[in-house]
């Protein structure tokens, strides 16, 4: 299993997160260059696995998510299949992240928003919703213990455990 925890580190709130791809480099001490996705050409029907979520109360918030302060944190697990020509490179301090809902390169998507604590592991089985008949070129799987953490909003100490991710065909 993987344990992911959101934390306040020095001057910044950092969401606990996991993604497939690779870390590029630190950018100007306030961001990171990340490369999202790995080559993948299958068309699975479902994305499955297990999670255990232990959210805390949001104590760090930045616009446009200021209304989240004082509420329970939310997590997210998302899979997107794309027709990208190469992995998506982002710099985190530019706050431009892949949006599985609106990105025109997304061929298929499966997402589960995590709300509320679990009493141990919960199995998930999410159907992958395809938007086209294209063959994917890349797959991106992300998981976070603070759904809005990329925008510096979340709770110090929210924890997400994830395990046994798989596809069914």
């Amino acid at each position: 299993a993987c344990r992911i925890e959101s934390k306040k580190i020095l001057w910044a709130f950092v969401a606990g997160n996991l993604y497939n791809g690779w870390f590029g480099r630190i950018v100007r001490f306030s961001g990171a260059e990340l490369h999202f996705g790995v080559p993948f050409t299958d068309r699975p029907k479902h994305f499955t696995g297990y999670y255990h979520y232990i959210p805390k109360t949001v104590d760090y918030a930045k616009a446009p998510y200021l209304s989240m302060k004082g509420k329970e944190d939310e997590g997210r697990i998302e899979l997107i299949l794309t027709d990208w020509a190469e992995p998506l490179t982002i710099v985190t301090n530019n706050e431009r992240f892949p949006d599985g809902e609106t990105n025109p390169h997304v061929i298929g998507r499966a997402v589960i928003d995590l709300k509320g604590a679990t009493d141990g592991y919960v199995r998930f089985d999410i159907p992958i919703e395809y938007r086209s008949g294209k063959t994917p070129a890349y797959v991106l799987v992300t998981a976070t213990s603070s759904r809005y953490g990329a925008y510096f909003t979340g709770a110090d100490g929210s924890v997400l455990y994830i395990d046994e991710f798989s596809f069914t065909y």
Side-chain angles (χ1 to χ4, degrees), residues 49-80:
Y50 293 86
Y51 73 90
H52 174 42
Y53 189 47
I54 308 163
K56 301 294 182 189
T57 301
V58 173
D59 44 3
Y60 299 97
K62 186 176 174 185
Y65 301 105
L66 294 172
S67 65
M68 290 293 297
K69 197 162 190 177
K71 295 180 181 176
E72 190 171 70
D73 209 354
E74 299 175 10
R76 176 176 266 195
I77 300 170
E78 182 175 23
L79 165 126
I80 59 175

Side-chain angles (χ1 to χ4, degrees), residues 12-15 18 21 38 63 70 83 101 126 152:
F13 172 77
V14 180
L18 176 80
V38 295
D83 65 359
E101 234 176 294
I126 313 166
F152 306 102

